[in-house]
Amino acid sequence: MTATTDLEADFEATVAADKRIEPRDWMPEGYRKTMIRQISQHAHSEIIGMQPEGNWISRAPSLRRKAILLAKVQDEAGHGLYLYSAAETLGVDRADLTMRLITGAQKYSSIFNYPTLTFADVGVIGWLVDGAAICNQVPLCRSSYGPYARAMVRICKEESFHQRQGYELLLTMMRGTAAQREMVQDATNRFWWPSLMMFGPPDTDSPNTAQSMRWRVKRHTNDELRQRFVDMTVPQAEMLGVTLPDPDLRWNAERGAYDFGDVDWAEFKRVVGGDGPCNEQRIANRRRAHERGAWVREAATAHAAKGNSR
Amino acid sequence: MTVDAGWPLYEVFVRSKRGLNHVHVGSLHAADEQMALLNGRDLYTRRNEGVSIWVVRSDAITASSPDEKDSFFAPSGDKVYRHPTFYTIPDDVPHM
């Protein structure tokens, strides 16, 4: 009993001193479970996140845009793998994580359940969705769990390209025809509110936040990050020449921040709960890709066995 | 449904440029060493991050146990005389 108490005290002291917890350190079961859930859901989001944009690779309007989009989708795959690698240091099995995704046992970010209807969506995803992701992820570079923090450093470096390519794409379209400008506005209208939902439920409805902040696996509350994102994004929208679809959005000089309208949390809950526009399609695609890859995995295994027996 | 092909886990080390050590960057699954190298290249050096990669099966690594951390590293803890700052030398002694 004293031993456990000592271990727990060690853990608490390490976290309180802003030092990192490493894979073989003792950690409370709750911490381990929280980290496995956080990291694996993040990994799943990167993997499913390939689909909305992957949808446009074959229809990108130029070789330049196609090469950029391919590189970006490859990065998402890479980010998923960095994160699965971090999750595995906590003692979970990769195959098991894959199963949890393709059976729907575990969630991924609700944003990827919205469809990409036009090429402007590719730009808006880079600008807003990756912008929101960066807001969320930069503080995670200081997560108390070492392998996760290190993966996030690598990911954040690469996300910067994602956001800039999206914004540049939109700037280009805004210099184009009236129809192109309309596409950008329409995509902005569709993705603005779902992007705000990416920060998760409001603080009043986020019971785990306090514990996560104490464990330093979360550094800011959902509402703080959402506010930061709005404040960063409004001037970018002005530069771009689009309107953000929120009549309540206005500068509040007293707070030194933008006021904005209420997010439709009922919609958020519906989409997280599986009833979004593309939930079924995303999981079905992922499952199909996994099943169709089975023969490749089997062949590689057979080849490796042959190599070992020689 | 076959999910797991039972591929072992490999740890990946990358030398970012000549003159520097290989540094651990993460892990990946592969059927064999050759595939681990190729996957390591695709996963960890998409932006010229490396000039050389090592891969080693994770189960081939022997590590010190974190439970022993105090006693295991204790022998170096009380030997302050191994550090140059242990010695007081007048400020005007040149080149030291």
Side-chain angles (χ1 to χ4, degrees):
Chain A
M1 148 144 190
T2 334
T4 316
T5 319
D6 282 354
L7 290 169
E8 195 145 16
D10 264 1
F11 170 86
E12 298 288 348
T14 304
V15 170
D18 228 349
K19 290 185 183 161
R20 301 290 176 261
I21 301 299
E22 295 295 345
R24 288 160 21 103
D25 289 340
W26 184 91
M27 59 189 87
E29 252 337 277
Y31 179 88
R32 185 182 298 275
K33 273 198 189 128
T34 299
M35 290 321 296
I36 290 174
R37 196 187 61 230
Q38 186 180 2
I39 301 173
S40 55
Q41 289 186 354
H42 191 166
H44 298 330
S45 301
E46 299 282 356
I47 296 300
I48 296 294
M50 290 193 278
Q51 291 185 37
E53 291 170 291
N55 184 34
W56 284 94
I57 291 175
S58 63
R59 292 175 289 165
S62 68
L63 191 55
R64 179 176 182 272
R65 293 292 170 197
K66 188 178 293 214
I68 292 169
L69 198 48
L70 261 175
K72 184 172 187 265
V73 172
Q74 274 183 320
D75 273 355
E76 312 293 1
H79 296 175
L81 294 176
Y82 302 156
L83 290 163
Y84 282 130
S85 160
E88 280 181 286
T89 63
L90 290 158
V92 279
D93 179 61
R94 172 76 59 94
D96 185 42
L97 293 178
T98 304
M99 277 307 281
R100 289 192 211 174
L101 172 61
I102 64 184
T103 58
Q106 263 190 327
K107 306 274 183 237
Y108 52 87
S109 177
S110 61
I111 190 76
F112 302 117
N113 290 318
Y114 292 88
T116 44
L117 303 179
T118 73
F119 193 68
D121 291 19
V122 171
V124 166
I125 285 177
W127 172 40
L128 294 181
V129 176
D130 292 322
I134 290 171
C135 247
N136 260 331
Q137 290 170 359
V138 166
L140 295 177
C141 296
R142 294 186 298 125
S143 165
S144 63
Y145 190 58
Y148 189 41
R150 293 192 285 276
M152 291 317 305
V153 169
R154 190 176 281 275
I155 288 172
C156 284
K157 276 188 200 160
E158 300 182 352
E159 286 287 350
S160 170
F161 137 62
H162 296 183
Q163 194 188 23
R164 289 172 68 103
Q165 67 81 33
Y167 197 75
E168 187 229 34
L169 188 163
L170 297 176
L171 282 172
T172 308
M173 287 187 82
M174 292 302 283
R175 287 194 298 265
T177 64
Q180 285 176 311
R181 281 189 290 277
E182 215 164 285
M183 277 166 70
V184 174
Q185 183 61 60
D186 170 63
T188 305
N189 292 347
R190 283 183 287 110
F191 276 95
W192 173 248
W193 291 107
S195 299
L196 293 188
M197 294 175 196
M198 286 175 68
F199 298 93
D203 294 350
T204 48
D205 189 24
S206 179
N208 297 324
T209 292
Q211 178 63 274
S212 293
M213 304 256 291
R214 236 181 346 265
W215 276 337
R216 306 203 184 191
V217 296
K218 195 167 176 172
R219 294 281 183 165
H220 308 279
T221 71
N222 297 350
D223 287 335
E224 284 167 11
L225 291 169
R226 192 167 10 251
Q227 180 72 57
R228 185 181 294 181
F229 174 69
V230 170
D231 292 344
M232 279 170 34
T233 307
V234 172
Q236 294 169 353
E238 284 166 5
M239 290 282 291
L240 195 57
V242 295
T243 311
L244 296 172
D246 179 359
D248 297 324
L249 187 68
R250 64 178 58 86
W251 178 250
N252 180 331
E254 209 172 294
R255 287 202 307 128
Y258 285 91
D259 291 337
F260 55 97
D262 289 331
V263 175
D264 182 352
W265 293 114
E267 175 182 324
F268 174 74
K269 284 195 176 129
R270 214 163 47 238
V271 177
V272 169
D275 194 18
C278 300
N279 296 52
E280 273 176 43
Q281 183 193 337
R282 299 292 189 233
I283 291 294
N285 271 346
R286 184 71 205 96
R287 188 184 302 127
R288 194 161 52 240
H290 188 74
E291 284 165 359
R292 286 183 180 171
W295 72 270
V296 180
R297 293 191 294 277
E298 282 158 19
T301 305
H303 180 75
K306 218 163 86 183
N308 287 338
S309 66
R310 262 203 302 269
Chain B
M1 190 185 329
T2 62
V3 169
D4 191 4
W7 292 354
L9 190 65
Y10 289 84
E11 301 297 326
V12 183
F13 300 77
V14 172
R15 184 201 295 287
S16 58
K17 61 179 186 182
R18 288 177 178 278
L20 297 179
N21 286 319
H22 285 77
V23 172
H24 182 244
V25 290
S27 66
L28 50 78
H29 288 272
D32 58 23
E33 282 78 7
Q34 200 53 37
M35 187 195 248
L37 275 179
L38 292 174
N39 288 357
R41 176 199 63 189
D42 291 347
L43 185 55
Y44 290 106
T45 64
R46 288 195 301 284
R47 289 176 175 79
N48 291 319
E49 290 96 333
V51 295
S52 164
I53 298 180
W54 289 347
V55 291
V56 59
R57 276 183 65 146
S58 308
D59 58 15
I61 292 179
T62 307
S64 63
S65 159
D67 298 341
E68 301 168 5
K69 65 184 170 209
D70 292 329
S71 56
F72 190 73
F73 294 104
S76 78
D78 59 352
K79 296 179 179 61
V80 285
Y81 46 86
R82 283 179 173 167
H83 297 277
T85 47
F86 180 72
Y87 303 93
T88 312
I89 305 275
D91 287 345
D92 50 1
V93 176
H95 306 302
M96 194 174 285

